[in-house]
Amino acid sequence: MFDGMQRRVVSMWFPRLGSDRVLRARPVEGPFALTLKQNNAERLSCLNAQAEGQGLHRGMAYADARAFCPDLITRPADPAQEARFLHALRRWATRYCPWVGLEGADGLVLDITGSAHLWGGEGEMLADMRARMARAGVSVRLGLADTRGAAWALARHGEGVAPPGAALAALGPLPVAALRLEQATSVALQRLGLRTVADLAAAPRAPLARRFGPGLLLRLDQASGAQAEEISPLADPPHFGVRMALPDPIGLADDVMAGTERLLSRLCARLKAHEMGARVLCLTLRRVDQGSQQLELRLASAMRDPHRILPLFRRGVEGIEAGFGIDQLRLEAVQIEPLPMQQLGHGGPPGQDGLDDLVTRIGNRIGLENVLRFLPADSHIPERAFLIAPAAYSAPENGPWAAPRPRPLRLFPPEPIAGTGARPPKHFRWRRMAFAAARATGPERIAPEWWLEDDNWRSGVRDYWQVETLQGRRLWLYYTPQNPGWFVQGEFA
């Protein structure tokens, strides 16, 4: 607050925040509501004006609402999206003043002290807020007073403006619920005959404190201004972007790399201060003809070491079209991840910087999702004992793979061969080649996982054998006792 200035606070309440968010993207005609599951029952959580005009209200059971209004159109509520929408409105509201905070899940509070004159006065500022919200399709109710509590009460229980120094007088006719009290407290006060704020302010304070505790009088004092109540604006998330304007245009790849090196040093220092690492970097090169080119670098792991990142830009920089010259460079970390400090030296985690850099180089040519690694899976079924995952988005398995018996290096779908009996055939043909078994090791019986549906294992258990042939091939065969037959499924190195 500025010294010598009367504090002024605006409360913005969005009574239909959820439904307005949905209807902005997909308008509908007629009654509309959002439903939310509460206590194993679907209930209305937010309604438009037409639905409220049909007698529906928040908290109403969905089945009852359909009985009252058969034409009701509903969509499931998304509290996370509504919260993001409210945060977007908070950023928008900073155009009026820098001190903007959240007021519950459907409101904002603005400390406009010293800012109203920039809009021609308080009335003009409020009119501009209403007009912009109406054009955006968002319902809003505004309250303006000297205190946060009074502004909240006016926005929700009697939209209006309290003159400076007259907050309590403006709140007098409003119900006691306007003081942000619990519902049980409001009902109890009404039963005592204290129905309005004026009635409560005129009542003796000592009996009220003994019966309802200090919270009731605190809310009253906050609304009247006798007790201070601060407004805590949300801090904007850190922006990881740096830029450089050049006095003379450049066009050589070495000059662009030199500028990128300076930007990387500044960006990585900012990332280190917040213990973050970049996963996707975007280098924007603006030419003197106002055209621009972008180079996107996707990293295999979160990084903030400029000496490792800089060489990865070389291939992209060498392919740019400088035209008449480049006069501005901008580098931004468009995707970041937490990267806490790690101990270096003895006892620290084993480094794999070289592998990550190699995956980055290959991935930026063929796509990071196409560089794969094998990971162990908790299954004794051979074809389910491993997973294939992108190397850039998975961690390697440091420990040894757990396998009861040696597994073949190559695994393929089962291929039938001719054979009878429970022991491997002495002679058989596979892939148009004749083989003679020299030694067989086994059997290893593997039963199907009955809790999973798999057509390949409908034949029942399998008895696996390691067969060494006279031709030098080491094959993995199995026999199905319940449906007699022999198959080849793998080959050892």
Side-chain angles (χ1 to χ4, degrees), residues 87 110 178 279 455:
H87 279 263
L110 296 77
R279 283 300 297 264
D455 294 337

Side-chain angles (χ1 to χ4, degrees), residues 25 27 30 39 44 63 65 86 93 102 141 145 155 187 237 260 271 303-304 358 375 429 476:
N39 298 327
L44 305 186
L86 183 62
L102 300 181
R141 296 181 62 179
V187 172
T260 305
L271 289 169
M303 299 184 191
R304 57 167 178 255
L358 176 62
L375 299 174
R429 293 185 62 85
W476 208 36

Side-chain angles (χ1 to χ4, degrees), residues 114-281:
S115 301
H117 71 280
L118 301 175
W119 301 87
E122 295 177 349
E124 289 75 7
M125 176 184 282
L126 297 182
D128 186 78
M129 292 179 180
R130 292 190 182 95
R132 291 181 182 274
M133 287 288 95
R135 288 197 297 268
V138 179
S139 303
V140 64
R141 296 181 62 179
L142 304 175
L144 174 60
D146 297 339
T147 65
R148 181 176 182 174
W152 186 96
L154 291 172
R156 288 163 173 77
H157 294 273
E159 186 176 13
V161 178
L168 190 58
L171 299 183
L174 301 183
V176 290
L179 296 178
R180 297 175 291 174
L181 303 177
E182 299 290 340
Q183 184 177 4
T185 303
S186 300
V187 172
L189 290 173
Q190 294 177 28
R191 289 175 177 172
L192 294 176
L194 304 176
R195 301 183 181 277
T196 65
V197 176
D199 296 338
L200 182 63
R205 296 173 64 92
L208 293 175
R210 285 195 299 268
R211 178 161 184 173
F212 298 99
L216 173 61
L217 299 180
L218 175 63
R219 287 303 191 187
L220 178 62
D221 292 340
Q222 287 176 341
S224 64
Q227 181 70 36
E229 186 177 8
E230 296 298 328
I231 297 176
S232 300
L234 294 182
D236 292 328
H239 176 67
F240 298 102
V242 291
R243 68 176 60 195
M244 174 190 298
L246 304 173
D248 296 316
I250 61 175
L252 298 178
D254 291 339
D255 295 338
V256 176
M257 289 296 293
T260 305
E261 182 179 8
R262 293 188 180 184
L263 294 179
L264 265 176
S265 300
R266 292 163 50 192
L267 178 61
C268 291
R270 188 175 301 178
L271 289 169
K272 183 178 181 181
H274 291 84
E275 294 194 2
M276 305 295 290
R279 283 300 297 264
V280 180
L281 292 168

Side-chain angles (χ1 to χ4, degrees), residues 35-382:
T35 61
L36 188 65
K37 192 170 184 178
Q38 299 175 346
N39 298 327
N40 295 327
E42 291 287 339
R43 298 187 178 276
L44 305 186
S45 65
C46 191
L47 304 83
N48 66 352
Q50 291 88 337
E52 292 178 351
Q54 297 287 336
L56 309 183
H57 57 84
R58 289 195 180 194
M60 189 176 189
Y62 173 67
D64 297 339
R66 289 302 302 269
F68 277 95
C69 182
D71 298 333
L72 179 65
I73 302 174
T74 61
R75 297 284 188 277
D78 191 339
Q81 289 289 348
E82 294 174 12
R84 282 191 283 270
F85 185 46
L86 183 62
H87 279 263
L89 292 174
R90 186 204 67 82
R91 290 192 298 271
W92 166 84
T94 55
R95 71 192 314 269
Y96 297 103
C97 66
W99 290 79
V100 182
L102 300 181
E103 190 74 89
D106 56 0
L108 300 175
V109 56
L110 296 77
D111 190 337
I112 63 168
T113 306
S115 301
H117 71 280
L118 301 175
W119 301 87
E122 295 177 349
E124 289 75 7
M125 176 184 282
L126 297 182
D128 186 78
M129 292 179 180
R130 292 190 182 95
R132 291 181 182 274
M133 287 288 95
R135 288 197 297 268
V138 179
S139 303
V140 64
R141 296 181 62 179
L142 304 175
L144 174 60
D146 297 339
T147 65
R148 181 176 182 174
W152 186 96
L154 291 172
R156 288 163 173 77
H157 294 273
E159 186 176 13
V161 178
L168 190 58
L171 299 183
L174 301 183
V176 290
L179 296 178
R180 297 175 291 174
L181 303 177
E182 299 290 340
Q183 184 177 4
T185 303
S186 300
V187 172
L189 290 173
Q190 294 177 28
R191 289 175 177 172
L192 294 176
L194 304 176
R195 301 183 181 277
T196 65
V197 176
D199 296 338
L200 182 63
R205 296 173 64 92
L208 293 175
R210 285 195 299 268
R211 178 161 184 173
F212 298 99
L216 173 61
L217 299 180
L218 175 63
R219 287 303 191 187
L220 178 62
D221 292 340
Q222 287 176 341
S224 64
Q227 181 70 36
E229 186 177 8
E230 296 298 328
I231 297 176
S232 300
L234 294 182
D236 292 328
H239 176 67
F240 298 102
V242 291
R243 68 176 60 195
M244 174 190 298
L246 304 173
D248 296 316
I250 61 175
L252 298 178
D254 291 339
D255 295 338
V256 176
M257 289 296 293
T260 305
E261 182 179 8
R262 293 188 180 184
L263 294 179
L264 265 176
S265 300
R266 292 163 50 192
L267 178 61
C268 291
R270 188 175 301 178
L271 289 169
K272 183 178 181 181
H274 291 84
E275 294 194 2
M276 305 295 290
R279 283 300 297 264
V280 180
L281 292 168
C282 182
L283 176 63
T284 304
L285 309 173
R286 193 189 69 180
R287 300 194 300 259
V288 294
D289 60 357
Q290 301 304 314
S292 63
Q293 292 187 15
Q294 288 187 343
L295 301 178
E296 185 180 81
L297 179 64
R298 302 172 63 192
L299 303 174
S301 62
M303 299 184 191
R304 57 167 178 255
D305 185 355
H307 302 290
R308 289 178 54 199
I309 299 175
L310 181 62
L312 304 176
F313 274 107
R314 170 65 69 173
R315 179 174 176 269
V317 169
E318 291 178 346
I320 63 172
E321 294 291 339
F324 293 102
I326 297 169
D327 62 357
Q328 186 182 93
L329 286 77
R330 186 174 186 274
L331 182 64
E332 182 183 5
V334 296
Q335 182 178 341
I336 58 176
E337 291 182 0
L339 185 62
M341 297 291 185
Q342 293 183 351
Q343 179 178 346
L344 301 178
H346 298 290
Q352 56 171 8
D353 296 347
L355 178 60
D356 290 339
D357 293 348
L358 176 62
V359 172
T360 298
R361 292 180 183 276
I362 299 175
N364 279 278
R365 297 190 180 189
I366 66 174
L368 285 177
E369 62 279 357
N370 296 322
V371 183
L372 308 175
R373 67 158 47 102
F374 290 92
L375 299 174
D378 186 14
S379 176
H380 61 270
I381 302 298

